[in-house]
Amino acid sequence: MNSQMQASVPFYRDVKKLALIAQVVFLVVVVLLIALVINNINLGLKKQNLNFSFDFLNQTAGFQVAEGTAFGVPYDSSSDNYFKVVFVGLYNTLRVAVTGMILATVLGVLVGIGRLSSNWLVGRLALVYVEILRNTPVLVQLFVWYFVVILGLPAISKAQPILGVYLSNSGLATPWLVQKPDMPNFFPVTIIAVLIGLAVFAFFSNQRARTGKPTPAGWYAIAAWLLVQIIGFFALGQPLEYGAPVRGNFGVTGGLQVSPEFTALLIGLVVYTSSFIAEITRAGIQSVNKGQTEAARALGLGYSETLQLIILPQALRVMIPPLGNQYLNLTKNSSLAVAIGYSDVLNVLGTAGNQSGQNLQTFFIAGIVYLILSFTIAFLVNLYNSATRLRTR
Amino acid sequence: MQKTLETPTPRASRFQLWAQENLFSTPLNSVLTALSSLLILWVVYSLSVWAFTQARWAVIPANFRLLMIGPFPIEQIWRVWTVLIVVSLTAGLHWGSAAKGQPLVRWPFITATLIALFALVTQWGFPLSILVPTAVLAVFAGFFFGRAALSPRAVNFTWLGVFAFAMIVLSVDFGQGGVQTRDWGGLLLTMILAVVGIVASFPLGVALAIGRTSQYPIISAICTVFIEVVRGTPLVVVFFIAQLFVPLLLGGSNIDALFRAMIGITVFSAAYLAENVRGGLQSLPSGQIEAARALGLTGTQTLLLIVLPQALKAVVPALVGQGIALFKDTSLVYIIGLKELTTITNSIRNNPNFIGTEKELFFTISVIYFIFSYAMSSGARNLEKRLNTNR
């Protein structure tokens, strides 16, 4: 009976078949469009006597890159190829993005807490900070940081060091642990140490969830990380040494030297992103039920204890997805390095494209690199999100 | 037990009470108040010292036309004025229709009076002394007409007409030569890019959102991939790719650079808009759709009459946020050399006559960007209130 009825429905009135047909038609249209695009691009390339290959990556790059190291390996423009240059740019992008994320989070959370301060003046000040920064373009802010603030600083010959840190119009020079030239690269040790730290954190938080015993997983993780760093340091024969910047006749030598471009880009991105993180923090804190605060205060917790132990952990759950979006935005905005001449991955690829005449491929690579970065960040945020999600029964 | 009568302490003034409550409630708060006051004093002091004694403001009036319209030919400037007056009229209509039944003294009047005062004070020469008051009068005329006769919905459609009218008037040759789009510049180009981006990305974004939430797996997958790929790429890279790919795609190398940038910003913005709209679509209880289908509405009718109006209303704040982001992002066309506000500012900065005026220039354009972005966000707050039917 049932099958008979279904059989009697003509195909053009059968919702299931119509849906299938619609999807197939849509797919065919999309495939045709893509084929058309590829065909047109091929035709256009032929017209300009170009071909879409990535062979040029093996050629010697031959152009200088300011701040040219890739993950601790120095870059030599006379012998290294384009492939290496991409990694130099990627390293510079990651340097500014990762540092930026950490600093923007700290600053943003502080401003966000300031927004909700019981002190009227502090609240207003934070509001003005957020509104000014959110309502002007990040590019204009970068120009201000670079052309007005950083390049407006005194020259290095006149700069006054503060606690050994020189801030001048040729950038930032600060005491740091620096790599000894003829020693093994210390960078991989740092990566291994961080990974081990993360693994320890995952292990102990898992154990805490299983047994219910209070375990300071964060402290164990930091201890493990430091331990591996220190063991690695001595195992490799102390490849780092303390270096302080010294002013000579031609600028500053020694210590950690950061270009004015990096400084401006980092400050610009951190300050801009912090205004968004401040609003996320405010919304997150406000999303925590007021009864939680009152209960915590009734139990005798102080203001900062309430904030740290009761409010922030709960607010964090609400904050993580939008926070992840801000990390993505910060990473993508780091491509504005082009505008102030910092050698990030896009800037380096742009130069490589102009020099080799392979613009199409280099921007294609740039797109892929940013996609990988974005998906990695999104993946990590999702991982963290599902680990800290509220588990309800 | 004898009670001693305490002498009543003199009542604190309301300000004292307020200050005690909000500024000096705890020792820590008092310290914070002192520090904040010092910070505010320092910023205000150094800003005023700079603005009144050091800044060379002459750079702004000297380049005012460049900042506003870029290299737009001076003999064709009537086109800009025509558009400005028509836009003023429509803005007046918009305000008027929105202010129906409300007291007269409101923002448009304050704004218009300020503009008029500004025009009087600076004492511009002949064409401006006529044109600026005309624009101001257009705002007033529109306000009264809109208040008396128009519904907000009618004005929304008028905006679309004004947009088409503006694009035609700004470019088409009426016999004495047209204007090339590469001569559009300054704030004018910023506005054109922003408006085109917002108008064009809206239908595309809504379509992508509907596609992504579609129950058909193939359509949903394709839309998801498109949205995620675009969202994972920086706008600068999208612009570069648009500059290179669009000519290859359409088979000609003489495609307008502005058109390529518009395609880039539209596609980019549509992907973000789609995610916002998707939030609205998913927030809608499924009972709405079921009820609509039970009443006999077709799929299309359900979408257009039931789903979209509610879904879009739910995400108005996010959509306006997206509009503000797009407006700010127009500054990125600096990277591909289009002469909008930020690019023009940089070229003035590099002009040997105006060396060392970057503070004045960047301050001015930041204020311009701020005014428009802030106006959009406060407009959104009003719109949100008006659309809120759950009062």
Side-chain angles (χ1 to χ4, degrees):
Chain A
M1 178 73 194
N2 205 358
S3 60
Q4 226 175 355
M5 256 180 71
Q6 269 193 353
S8 67
V9 177
F11 78 92
Y12 53 87
R13 300 198 52 168
D14 186 334
V15 177
K16 276 185 188 159
K17 281 181 190 150
L18 277 181
L20 190 68
I21 293 169
Q23 291 191 74
V24 169
V25 169
F26 188 76
L27 187 67
V28 167
V29 169
V30 169
V31 167
L32 280 179
L33 261 176
I34 292 172
L36 186 76
V37 167
I38 292 175
N39 186 39
N40 272 358
I41 287 175
N42 274 334
L43 281 179
L45 283 173
K46 235 174 236 162
K47 221 188 275 176
Q48 296 173 27
N49 280 327
L50 295 170
N51 63 332
F52 197 79
S53 84
F54 290 95
D55 296 341
F56 74 98
L57 285 174
N58 292 323
Q59 293 165 15
T60 309
F63 61 89
Q64 295 288 330
V65 178
E67 303 175 79
T69 52
F71 306 98
V73 184
Y75 160 78
D76 179 5
S77 65
S78 60
S79 60
D80 284 330
N81 58 15
Y82 283 113
F83 201 68
K84 176 86 179 274
V85 160
V86 177
F87 277 93
V88 172
L90 181 64
Y91 176 65
N92 282 339
T93 293
L94 285 176
R95 215 154 54 105
V96 79
V98 173
T99 324
M101 284 178 210
I102 296 167
L103 295 179
T105 311
V106 173
L107 187 59
V109 170
L110 284 179
V111 176
I113 293 172
R115 278 278 268 129
L116 293 171
S117 166
S118 59
N119 188 318
W120 182 84
L121 209 54
V122 173
R124 289 284 129 167
L125 214 55
L127 175 71
V128 170
Y129 175 90
V130 167
E131 289 292 350
I132 289 177
L133 292 167
R134 286 206 313 171
N135 286 314
T136 46
V138 60
L139 181 63
V140 175
Q141 290 180 26
L142 283 180
F143 283 146
V144 171
W145 287 112
Y146 185 58
F147 290 117
V148 178
V149 178
I150 301 287
L151 295 190
L153 287 169
I156 185 69
S157 53
K158 289 186 187 139
Q160 287 301 316
I162 304 163
L163 299 171
V165 177
Y166 288 87
L167 191 60
S168 70
N169 64 4
S170 39
L172 184 77
T174 164
W176 203 258
L177 292 173
V178 284
Q179 173 88 38
K180 286 185 199 164
D182 44 359
M183 283 285 188
N185 188 353
F186 194 64
F187 196 84
V189 176
T190 309
I191 291 182
I192 293 168
V194 169
L195 287 178
I196 289 176
L198 287 176
V200 167
F201 182 76
F203 176 76
F204 280 107
S205 40
N206 189 19
Q207 201 180 42
R208 181 172 52 188
R210 228 161 10 93
T211 60
K213 277 184 196 150
T215 318
W219 291 114
Y220 287 163
I222 290 173
W225 164 58
L226 280 177
L227 196 69
V228 177
Q229 286 277 26
I230 292 166
I231 291 172
F233 178 71
F234 287 106
L236 288 178
Q238 307 182 18
L240 298 182
E241 61 184 349
Y242 175 80
V246 181
R247 183 156 51 190
N249 288 335
F250 305 99
V252 165
T253 48
L256 176 74
Q257 309 229 4
V258 183
S259 68
E261 290 79 20
F262 178 88
T263 316
L265 186 65
L266 182 68
I267 297 176
L269 291 176
V270 163
V271 169
Y272 180 75
T273 313
S274 75
S275 70
F276 290 88
I277 293 182
E279 283 303 273
I280 292 169
T281 310
R282 183 181 64 90
I285 291 176
Q286 281 179 334
S287 77
V288 178
N289 195 323
K290 205 170 168 224
Q292 297 279 332
T293 318
E294 287 164 356
R297 299 310 293 267
L299 285 172
L301 296 183
Y303 178 76
S304 59
E305 277 175 318
T306 311
L307 196 66
Q308 280 172 33
L309 299 175
I310 308 295
I311 300 177
L312 280 183
Q314 297 187 67
L316 211 57
R317 289 202 190 102
V318 185
M319 284 163 60
I320 286 166
L323 210 53
N325 271 338
Q326 288 312 317
Y327 291 158
L328 279 176
N329 284 345
L330 189 145
T331 310
K332 287 185 284 175
N333 282 337
S334 74
S335 62
L336 293 177
V338 174
I340 55 173
Y342 173 66
S343 311
D344 81 324
V345 70
L346 182 62
N347 197 357
V348 162
L349 276 168
T351 316
N354 283 335
Q355 189 147 356
S356 62
Q358 314 279 334
N359 266 317
L360 210 56
Q361 287 92 314
T362 52
F363 286 127
F364 189 78
I365 296 173
I368 300 285
V369 167
Y370 281 107
L371 276 183
I372 293 173
L373 285 179
S374 299
F375 288 149
T376 312
I377 294 171
F379 174 75
L380 291 177
V381 169
N382 281 341
L383 208 64
Y384 188 74
N385 195 19
S386 52
T388 56
R389 202 184 49 219
L390 188 63
R391 285 184 184 81
T392 48
R393 271 168 258 270
Chain B
M1 293 281 267
Q2 199 175 4
K3 273 184 189 170
T4 50
L5 283 176
E6 280 173 34
T7 46
T9 46
R11 250 184 72 191
S13 72
R14 270 175 74 184
F15 174 74
Q16 273 176 322
L17 282 175
W18 177 87
Q20 207 158 34
E21 178 104 338
N22 292 297
L23 298 176
F24 306 104
S25 57
T26 61
L28 177 70
N29 255 344
S30 305
V31 173
L32 283 176
T33 304
L35 286 178
S36 312
S37 313
L38 279 179
L39 180 69
I40 293 171
L41 278 179
W42 177 71
V43 169
V44 170
Y45 173 75
S46 32
L47 206 62
S48 357
V49 166
W50 169 73
F52 294 117
T53 63
Q54 292 161 2
R56 293 184 290 154
W57 290 113
V59 64
I60 304 301
N63 294 292
F64 192 69
R65 188 158 60 86
L66 263 181
L67 287 172
M68 289 300 118
I69 56 173
F72 205 91
I74 183 81
E75 65 277 6
Q76 301 279 4
I77 201 159
W78 58 269
R79 295 168 184 267
V80 181
W81 281 107
T82 315
V83 169
L84 185 68
I85 287 167
V86 171
V87 168
S88 305
L89 185 70
T90 322
L93 285 175
H94 189 117
W95 267 319
S97 66
K100 224 170 232 165
Q102 283 175 352
L104 267 183
V105 187
R106 277 178 63 84
W107 272 100
F109 286 88
I110 299 162
T111 322
T113 319
L114 280 179
I115 296 172
L117 273 178
F118 185 58
L120 282 176
V121 167
T122 47
Q123 287 180 335
W124 287 320
F126 156 66
L128 291 179
S129 59
I130 298 291
L131 289 165
V132 173
T134 313
V136 175
L137 278 180
V139 175
F140 276 93
F143 184 83
F144 281 110
F145 183 71
R147 193 164 184 271
L150 279 182
S151 72
R153 182 169 296 193
V155 181
N156 289 343
F157 284 105
T158 316
W159 275 119
L160 281 180
V162 169
F163 172 61
F165 171 81
M167 297 308 277
I168 293 169
V169 169
L170 285 174
S171 60
V172 170
D173 187 351
F174 298 114
Q176 289 139 343
V179 177
Q180 302 289 318
T181 54
R182 65 165 175 274
D183 288 336
W184 292 353
L187 183 61
L188 176 71
L189 183 60
T190 299
M191 297 309 267
I192 291 174
L193 271 170
V195 171
V196 168
I198 290 169
V199 170
S201 66
F202 187 74
L204 185 58
V206 171
L208 282 170
I210 294 170
R212 186 167 184 176
T213 50
S214 156
Q215 52 187 335
Y216 306 141
I218 297 178
I219 295 178
S220 165
I222 291 173
C223 290
T224 306
V225 168
F226 182 86
I227 291 170
E228 291 307 330
V229 165
V230 173
R231 270 165 37 100
T233 319
L235 182 55
V236 182
V237 175
V238 173
F239 276 141
F240 278 130
I241 290 178
Q243 289 295 304
L244 289 166
F245 273 79
V246 172
L248 286 174
L249 211 65
L250 301 177
S253 54
N254 54 352
I255 291 177
D256 195 62
L258 176 59
F259 179 70
R260 303 180 210 175
M262 283 172 175
I263 290 192
I265 206 165
T266 302
V267 168
F268 184 78
S269 186
Y272 282 81
L273 205 128
E275 283 302 271
N276 290 333
V277 174
R278 183 167 73 106
L281 289 174
Q282 288 177 342
S283 75
L284 203 64
S286 57
Q288 292 284 331
I289 300 169
E290 286 157 13
R293 298 310 295 262
L295 284 173
L297 298 185
T298 65
T300 324
Q301 280 173 329
T302 310
L303 189 67
L304 291 180
L305 301 175
I306 308 295
V307 176
L308 276 184
Q310 299 187 69
L312 291 179
K313 199 172 79 178
V315 292
V316 162
L319 294 185
V320 177
Q322 184 55 38
I324 295 172
L326 191 145
F327 173 72
K328 290 187 297 170
D329 280 346
T330 57
S331 60
L332 302 199
V333 295
Y334 162 80
I335 310 271
I336 50 171
L338 291 181
K339 297 167 197 143
E340 54 67 70
L341 195 54
T342 308
T343 319
I344 290 280
T345 306
N346 258 299
S347 59
I348 299 171
R349 191 175 65 76
N350 290 326
N351 180 335
N353 295 330
F354 301 111
I355 288 288
T357 54
E358 45 275 282
K359 277 185 203 167
E360 292 80 354
L361 284 165
F362 287 131
F363 183 82
T364 309
I365 66 164
S366 301
V367 169
I368 295 176
Y369 279 115
F370 181 85
I371 289 173
F372 281 100
S373 307
Y374 194 75
M376 273 194 263
S377 59
S378 49
R381 257 170 262 145
N382 287 339
L383 186 66
E384 219 179 317
K385 260 185 234 154
R386 213 174 66 202
L387 288 177
N388 185 4
T389 43
N390 302 333
R391 266 175 295 206

